[in-house]
Amino acid sequence: MTRFSASTDNEAVVPADRKDIWTVLTDPDALTDLTPMLDGIDADGDLWTWHLKRISALGVGITPSFTERMHFEKGRRIDYTHEPPKDVTERTGARGCYEMSDAAGGTRLKISLTLTVDLPLPRAAAPAVRKVMTRMMRRTGDEFSANLYARLGIAEKYERVSV
């Protein structure tokens, strides 16, 4: 197995109240509805197991699940770190955060995510794997953003600002 990682950092001013965005980002069912690659989340307090849909690329297919410790700073920040159960090997994990602050016209939402996966591919495949992972993360982020806007009743087009 070889470990591969890809990251994304994005920021936008969402024309909605921070409270409304917080409600969505802390609801496992809402996140499942809004995130195209997500099949479900099992939440047990602040320990959430994320189940993704099957991903096939470069001749390898996986159906990842990973457990994250969620740290909630009400209305302001959500941090998550990979924390698999004892005696369980998870070949996929994530770490990152959502940050929210007041901004002119709504709420500044920053999203930072690093996804790591162990795959049965040679290390030489790293550039191709990272390219696929980055493309998938970007497409998922774009669809999530559009779905979030729709959920919040916002008709405006989402504009991503990479940081």
Side-chain angles (χ1 to χ4, degrees):
M1 291 289 179
T2 304
R3 180 165 287 225
F4 302 95
S5 294
S7 298
T8 185
D9 294 286
N10 295 288
E11 177 179 334
V13 174
V14 180
D17 289 335
R18 193 174 355 163
K19 178 182 170 223
D20 295 334
I21 297 169
W22 177 264
T23 298
V24 173
L25 296 180
T26 57
D27 179 344
D29 292 329
L31 287 173
T32 299
D33 291 343
L34 300 179
T35 310
M37 293 299 299
L38 187 56
D39 207 26
I41 299 172
D42 299 327
D44 183 10
D46 62 356
L47 200 62
W48 291 15
T49 302
W50 300 65
H51 304 280
L52 300 184
K53 295 179 179 172
R54 183 165 178 76
I55 302 167
S56 297
L58 302 173
V60 176
I62 59 172
T63 307
S65 290
F66 48 92
T67 306
E68 303 296 313
R69 176 70 61 187
M70 309 296 289
H71 302 275
F72 300 101
E73 187 179 332
K74 187 165 177 117
R76 294 182 21 105
R77 186 176 175 101
I78 303 167
D79 289 290
Y80 45 95
T81 54
H82 188 222
E83 189 176 311
K86 290 183 190 248
D87 302 321
V88 173
T89 300
E90 292 182 342
R91 301 207 183 281
T92 304
R95 73 175 187 284
C97 68
Y98 297 98
E99 292 179 71
M100 288 162 276
S101 60
D102 294 330
T107 302
R108 179 169 306 283
L109 176 60
K110 295 181 183 179
I111 299 173
S112 178
L113 168 67
T114 298
L115 185 63
T116 302
V117 61
D118 290 330
L119 295 171
L121 293 171
R123 186 163 303 284
V129 171
R130 270 194 297 279
K131 185 176 181 179
V132 168
M133 289 175 71
T134 300
R135 189 179 314 130
M136 179 199 71
M137 289 169 67
R138 183 169 184 82
R139 185 174 54 245
T140 299
D142 287 345
E143 290 181 38
F144 173 83
S145 299
N147 292 341
L148 175 64
Y149 268 51
R151 169 67 67 98
L152 295 170
I154 302 166
E156 296 179 33
K157 182 179 184 294
Y158 169 79
E159 293 189 29
R160 171 194 304 267
V161 178
S162 295
V163 293

